[in-house]
Amino acid sequence: MDSSLAKLRQIASDANMTETNVQNADPTAPYVSDAENEPRRWHVVFGILCAAYGGIGLCFYGLALLIVILGPWLSKLAGRTIGTPPSLFWINILQTTVPMILGGMLLYGGIELLRRRPRGYRLVIGWAAARLVFAVIQLAISVVTIDLVVTAQVDQYEAQMAQLSAGDREKAETSMRAFGMEPPTVESVRKSAPKWIGIMIGAVALWPLVLGIALTGKRSRNDVAGWSTERREVG
């Protein structure tokens, strides 16, 4: 009996404490759930993705730049055009050097973002803006040089086919048709060029747009401001 009475008193005491806490709570304070108190991990996801994307871009465009630079020497050595046609040399130097540098920037920014460094956040956002600007520049270059590029592509194809005998060329072109591809002509390449330009620009602009939309929201900016405060307190 005494044990039951003790339990009832404890329950009543807990209820009174709960009621007191509710009465003392600020009724204007916003409700904060346990989930909202948990640290957000977006910097881990985007840090890994940015580091991977930047690393791949750095390697890919670095190799492409090497091929562009060595193209004239390899062409002389082989006696035929290898890699970039001479008329597109400086255009391709620009379109490989800038993305290579930006790839290194994103790689470093992604690593710093993983470490919750405000500098990493600024680098990633800066990369997104710079990549979108360069995508517009690439679009303008592609439109202005479309005839030059089309002619160079067809000339390169014809130069490669000229090294084959008539029978071998016929076999090669028959194989192309079996896969649904017609031998390129200036007219056919010129007709399909705008579609491929649009696909290329859309592909390179997609990730910068995702980053720009996802990481410039208020919550992300508040988190980054919190990182700065933490570092000052630790320092």
Side-chain angles (χ1 to χ4, degrees), residues 24 71 85 124 175 181 191 194:
N24 292 337
V124 168
S175 298
M181 297 181 295
K191 184 178 180 180

Side-chain angles (χ1 to χ4, degrees), residues 59-103:
C59 295
F60 175 80
Y61 285 106
L63 179 60
L65 178 61
L66 186 63
I67 293 173
V68 172
I69 292 172
L70 296 180
W73 178 76
L74 293 174
S75 296
K76 289 181 180 179
L77 189 65
R80 61 188 179 89
T81 300
I82 294 178
T84 304
S87 57
L88 300 175
F89 181 79
W90 290 109
I91 292 174
N92 284 341
I93 285 286
L94 173 67
Q95 298 203 80
T96 51
T97 301
V98 174
M100 182 187 70
I101 294 171
L102 290 176

Side-chain angles (χ1 to χ4, degrees), residues 105-146:
M105 175 182 175
L106 184 60
L107 172 61
Y108 180 62
I111 293 172
E112 290 292 277
L113 190 62
L114 272 170
R115 300 171 66 188
R116 290 164 57 93
R117 298 286 180 86
R119 174 173 52 198
Y121 175 80
R122 291 192 295 269
L123 282 170
V124 168
I125 296 300
W127 174 87
R131 195 64 186 88
L132 287 173
V133 170
F134 191 67
V136 174
I137 294 173
Q138 285 181 298
L139 177 60
I141 291 174
S142 298
V143 171
V144 171
T145 63
I146 188 169

